[in-house]
Amino acid sequence: MSIIAVGSAKASPGVTSLSVGLGFLWESTTGRQAVLIEADSDGGVLAARFGLSLAPSLVEFSGAIRHEVTIDRLQRNSQLLAGQLPALVAPGCGETTSLVLGSISKQLVDGLDHLKEIDLVIDIGRVRPYSPTTDLVRRCDLVILVVRPHFDQLVPLVHQARRMIAQNIPTALVCVGDRPYPPTEMAKAAQVDLLGVMAYEPRVVQVLSGGFPSNRRHRRLLLWRTLNELVHRINYRLQNSVNTRIAA
Ligand SMILES: Nc1ncnc2c1ncn2[C@@H]1O[C@H](COP(=O)(O)OP(=O)(O)O)[C@@H](O)[C@H]1O
Ligand SMILES: [Mg+2]
């Protein structure tokens, strides 16, 4: 299994949108099923944004896994986003979400062996030093830092990337849009690999609400093409790190 966390150093650059987009395209590229977990300690937006129910959520999941984590319990507490992507949503309230994330994070880490058949895409929101998801983030195969390529986001990014690298957490960068500051320069300054760019698309929520289109013409939208490219690069990177570990 692979665990990919998506987070930001500052502001609201598009972490949730990227997480949802990656989730939609995950299975067609990797051949493995993904479950999206909304683990943003500021509270969730998925239910409200994509017309899902308030429950089941992390709250019910936390109760269900008190004794043991199982795929069945994860799936039963997830809701289908756009009829395609199983998503475990967070309550809208940040305090409640932080409370449940504290216990869920530890239980997930202890129970990862039970989730081998699936991959997790975890929306961790803003990355903070004492976040309730810290233990889980340390177990991730890849943490993707999302940033808008603006000069004022550079310093927070550089500091966050340094913190991740100091903890030996594999970290890479995705930029939302490619202007005005060159994404390659952002990555160079932060000393992390640039996975690529998610296209700047003002209708991103509307587009994602419909799920990954079955219609070929609609798939040609730059947003889908860039998301597809990103999933390929992430998958390639994950495969390579597995091979390197095996070789070592
Ligand atoms: N690729 C994108 N292009 C343009 N706007 C985007 C994109 N991704 C997100 N946004 C916008 O940025 C805002 C925050 O998006 P969201 O995905 O919730 O980010 P975060 O999880 O970092 O807070 C929303 O208004 C959303 O429409
Ligand atoms: Mg978010």
Side-chain angles (χ1 to χ4, degrees), residues 12-17 49 148 176 198-202 204-205:
S12 190
V15 171
T16 300
S17 304
R49 192 175 286 177
R148 298 274 174 122
V176 174
M198 171 167 68
Y200 184 83
E201 168 54 70
V204 64
V205 173

Side-chain angles (χ1 to χ4, degrees), residues 44-59:
V45 297
L46 284 182
R49 192 175 286 177
F50 296 103
L52 302 175
S53 307
L54 297 179
S57 71
L58 290 174
V59 176

Side-chain angles (χ1 to χ4, degrees), residues 176-227:
V176 174
D178 56 5
R179 276 167 225 190
Y181 201 73
T184 46
E185 292 296 317
M186 303 283 289
K188 201 166 145 195
Q191 297 184 348
V192 287
D193 290 342
L194 177 67
L195 282 169
V197 170
M198 171 167 68
Y200 184 83
E201 168 54 70
R203 295 171 302 137
V204 64
V205 173
Q206 194 191 334
V207 171
L208 292 175
S209 297
F212 185 54
S214 48
N215 179 322
R216 272 183 159 205
R217 196 164 58 86
H218 292 162
R219 285 188 202 175
R220 274 194 235 130
L221 189 69
L222 189 60
L223 181 72
W224 288 122
R225 285 194 273 136
T226 52
L227 285 168

